Amino acid sequence: MVDFAGALRDAIQARGLGLERIQERLRAEGFSVSLATLSYWQTGRSRPERRESLAALAELEKILEVDPGSLAALVGPPRPRGRHLHKSQEAPALGAFWSEQDLITDLAQGVDTRWDERLTRLSQHDRVNVGPERGEMSFLVRQVLRAEADGPDRYVVIVRLDELEHPLPLVTAVRNCRLGRVVEHVESAFLLAELLFDRPLAKGETVITEHALHNYPPFPTATNYERKFRLPVREYVLEVCFDPAALPRAVYQFQQMDGQTEQVTPYEVDVGNSVHAIALDYGPGRYGFRWDWD
């Protein structure tokens, strides 16, 4: 049976309207609905429950040219509210910790993010490879995820390059996943990609995935690497590997939990020409390394 989010996505696709256009038409009729709210409705993160939202839904049915009440009938009873709710319902928005949050919300229309908050991040290991010319060559990411409901079949990756004029990286699936839809916004150097699991997960089931990102030469100059955590991770390992022909003058590890000030710690490059840091029970927030060249 099709749920509300699925029916709304199908109706939007069939009508061929973008969320911005839908928002404009709702506003013209006196309904103020944010792009984030429309995105949450179609991904299943939230649904219209308040009187104002249900009134806007009735107008939305007209805009999408579906039978009156057909979408409203799928909304279901109001969800319970209060401290007993699952913590994922209080998670920051998809584009949290990015200055381009609205852009990410729009780009996310092209991928399926409905399972994101039903995947617990048990472990993540990022390995960054910096080449002899100080360029960002590649990134290898290993994740251990656990399903908190039946059905998760993908994970969505968000990537942004610091150098806007450089081509976006090539995403490759390495282990226990395959590449799904990829959405690129070249002007802002953003990329969103689906990593599809071999099969949907059952509640409580875990999966280990690996994927890589490869930049094209000439490689963009590497000065930092940052991971943004909208949802917490049990264990995070960040490793930056430098070519012995290009070692930085100084390296700093930084972290900033949601609502807190940034903490910065100097690090030394080890005998293997790399640095690494480990965070436990981290997030939401930002975590990374930055370094200075001579």
Side-chain angles (χ1 to χ4, degrees):
M1 179 179 178
V2 178
D3 60 5
F4 170 75
L8 179 58
R9 286 196 307 272
D10 291 343
I12 291 175
Q13 184 176 5
R15 190 72 174 87
L17 294 176
L19 292 192
E20 288 187 356
R21 179 58 178 155
I22 292 174
Q23 183 191 38
E24 291 173 359
R25 295 188 58 173
L26 285 170
R27 185 184 296 118
E29 297 298 327
F31 299 99
S32 178
V33 181
S34 70
L35 289 175
T37 295
L38 290 172
S39 177
Y40 295 161
W41 286 358
Q42 72 166 353
T43 59
R45 180 180 174 186
S46 67
R47 60 193 184 191
E49 295 178 348
R50 302 182 188 278
R51 181 181 302 175
E52 298 83 358
S53 297
L54 292 173
L57 179 59
E59 183 62 32
L60 181 58
E61 291 173 339
K62 297 178 184 177
I63 294 172
L64 298 178
E65 298 181 354
V66 298
D67 293 338
S70 60
L71 292 177
L74 298 174
V75 170
R79 293 173 176 174
R81 301 180 182 274
R83 289 180 297 175
H84 62 283
L85 285 180
H86 189 277
K87 62 182 179 180
S88 68
Q89 294 190 22
E90 302 174 359
L94 183 65
F97 310 110
W98 298 94
S99 59
E100 305 87 346
Q101 181 170 328
D102 289 342
L103 173 61
I104 293 176
T105 298
D106 290 342
L107 295 178
Q109 299 175 43
V111 294
D112 187 350
T113 62
R114 58 180 161 160
W115 296 115
D116 195 56
E117 294 178 22
R118 292 296 180 263
L119 289 169
T120 294
R121 282 72 166 160
L122 297 179
S123 178
Q124 179 159 343
H125 185 168
D126 292 349
R127 180 174 182 177
V128 184
N129 294 304
V130 181
E133 304 298 327
R134 303 181 177 179
E136 297 177 348
M137 297 181 64
S138 63
F139 313 89
L140 179 65
V141 180
R142 174 185 177 273
Q143 286 186 303
V144 182
L145 304 168
R146 183 181 67 211
E148 301 304 335
D150 292 337
D153 63 352
R154 70 196 65 203
Y155 178 83
V156 175
V157 177
I158 303 177
V159 180
R160 184 184 186 276
L161 286 183
D162 291 333
E163 297 189 12
L164 300 182
E165 68 278 5
H166 196 274
L168 288 167
L170 173 67
V171 184
T172 59
V174 177
R175 183 184 178 201
N176 294 336
C177 61
R178 66 186 187 280
L179 191 62
R181 289 172 290 186
V182 177
V183 176
E184 297 181 347
H185 193 268
V186 177
E187 295 81 0
S188 299
F190 266 103
L191 178 152
L192 278 69
E194 295 175 337
L195 296 176
L196 308 179
F197 307 149
D198 294 334
R199 57 178 175 78
L201 302 179
K203 182 178 180 179
E205 193 173 4
T206 57
V207 63
I208 302 173
T209 67
E210 292 182 4
H211 69 276
L213 297 101
H214 305 271
N215 277 319
Y216 297 94
F219 303 110
T221 302
T223 59
N224 68 89
Y225 181 87
E226 176 182 298
R227 170 68 66 175
K228 301 180 190 296
F229 291 98
R230 182 175 75 95
L231 299 171
V233 61
R234 186 80 56 83
E235 174 201 63
Y236 178 55
V237 180
L238 174 56
E239 181 181 12
V240 182
C241 303
F242 298 97
D243 189 281
L247 297 179
R249 176 180 59 83
V251 180
Y252 305 92
Q253 187 275 320
F254 64 91
Q255 55 185 298
Q256 184 177 21
M257 293 278 278
D258 190 16
Q260 300 180 13
T261 58
E262 183 182 75
Q263 301 178 27
V264 180
T265 305
Y267 264 65
E268 296 290 336
V269 177
D270 62 26
V271 294
N273 305 315
S274 67
V275 292
H276 77 271
I278 302 173
L280 301 177
D281 296 319
Y282 190 82
R286 331 166 23 245
Y287 195 97
F289 276 116
R290 61 174 69 105
W291 52 89
D292 299 327
W293 300 106
D294 291 334

